[in-house]
Amino acid sequence: PSGGGYLAAQLAERGFQVVGADLVRDLWQFPQYPFLCADLDAPLPFQPESFDVVLHVGGLAHLENPAAIIREFYRVLAPGGAFGITIENILTMESRLRFLINGTYRWYPHYQYHGEDKAGLFLVNREPVRITTLLFHMERAGFRIEKVLFGGKPSYHLLLPLGLLFALGTRLHNRIRRDKGKQTPPIVNSLPAFIYRHVGVLARKPR
């Protein structure tokens, strides 16, 4: 979802030909650049292989079917094209502690429905997506993962000692579990996953 279009404007200033898409039209602030009102829970209004780059920043948790939109991104991307996506990192120690206390992750409160239409819910994070789940959906859609980076504002550092215990537990668990399908991916209890509140993935559609 392109929101106000600020990222699109920065890319346009650097020579990219941009198109923004979002469910809420009134957010778009740059009438000099093309914009399409689009529901990302439906098929995208673009022909196959229309784009060299697709960017999806911080919007996956707002959607009803994350796997479907990732398949759509793959469809509209040209062979060899790049796909960049960011999500909130629910694996921080802060987020894990919050879940232990009240059953919610950071950014994902127990939201109550008050009769809003779909556009009225555009700021509501519905379902948290783990980085491992995102990578699964992307690889299943056909993407080749090139890079995973954690970043953004750091979370609480005081909880890091507990995180190091989790990392040690991961190593022991994986040694005991010979079945790789039941092992914990190292990225889940990695130091960046404990600290940083956002995670981004760069992938490519094979030629």
Side-chain angles (χ1 to χ4, degrees):
S2 52
Y6 299 100
L7 176 58
Q10 292 180 39
L11 293 171
E13 291 172 358
R14 288 161 173 78
F16 287 89
Q17 180 183 357
V18 299
V19 178
D22 200 299
L23 180 65
V24 184
R25 180 182 299 275
D26 294 340
L27 298 176
W28 187 254
Q29 301 295 313
F30 300 91
Q32 66 270 38
Y33 303 127
F35 170 86
L36 288 177
C37 190
D39 185 347
L40 299 187
D41 285 315
L44 295 174
F46 304 112
Q47 295 297 316
E49 303 181 4
S50 297
F51 296 95
D52 296 316
V53 178
V54 172
L55 297 177
H56 186 81
V57 180
L60 203 63
H62 300 277
L63 305 181
E64 297 171 355
N65 193 339
I69 189 60
I70 290 175
R71 289 193 296 268
E72 277 294 284
F73 291 149
Y74 188 88
R75 179 184 68 83
V76 302
L77 195 62
F83 173 48
I85 183 171
T86 69
I87 60 172
E88 294 85 2
N89 176 26
I90 64 171
L91 298 180
T92 63
M93 292 307 303
E94 173 193 0
S95 190
R96 298 183 197 207
L97 180 61
R98 187 187 296 255
F99 185 83
L100 182 64
I101 294 173
N102 62 16
T104 67
Y105 296 103
R106 179 180 172 84
W107 300 288
Y108 297 90
H110 295 295
Y111 185 81
Q112 297 182 359
Y113 181 60
H114 300 292
E116 301 94 335
D117 61 11
K118 195 167 188 178
L121 296 171
F122 76 98
L123 287 179
V124 177
N125 284 351
R126 297 173 184 170
E127 294 294 335
V129 179
R130 297 173 298 181
I131 179 58
T132 49
T133 304
L134 174 61
L135 295 176
F136 173 85
H137 288 323
M138 292 174 66
E139 291 179 331
R140 186 165 179 259
F143 284 106
R144 185 178 69 247
I145 308 299
E146 294 191 347
K147 189 178 296 186
V148 178
L149 290 175
F150 291 87
K153 186 177 179 180
S155 186
Y156 299 135
H157 289 81
L158 295 177
L159 299 174
L160 280 182
L162 181 59
L164 296 177
L165 289 178
F166 287 170
L168 178 60
T170 295
R171 290 188 177 184
L172 293 176
H173 175 266
N174 288 347
R175 285 188 178 183
I176 296 172
R177 289 281 190 178
R178 299 295 183 182
D179 184 354
K180 290 187 177 181
K182 296 181 180 180
Q183 292 184 351
T184 301
I187 193 174
V188 170
N189 287 331
S190 64
L191 189 61
F194 293 147
I195 297 176
Y196 295 106
R197 293 177 176 173
H198 293 85
V199 56
V201 181
L202 174 64
R204 197 166 298 275
K205 181 175 182 176
R207 292 188 182 277

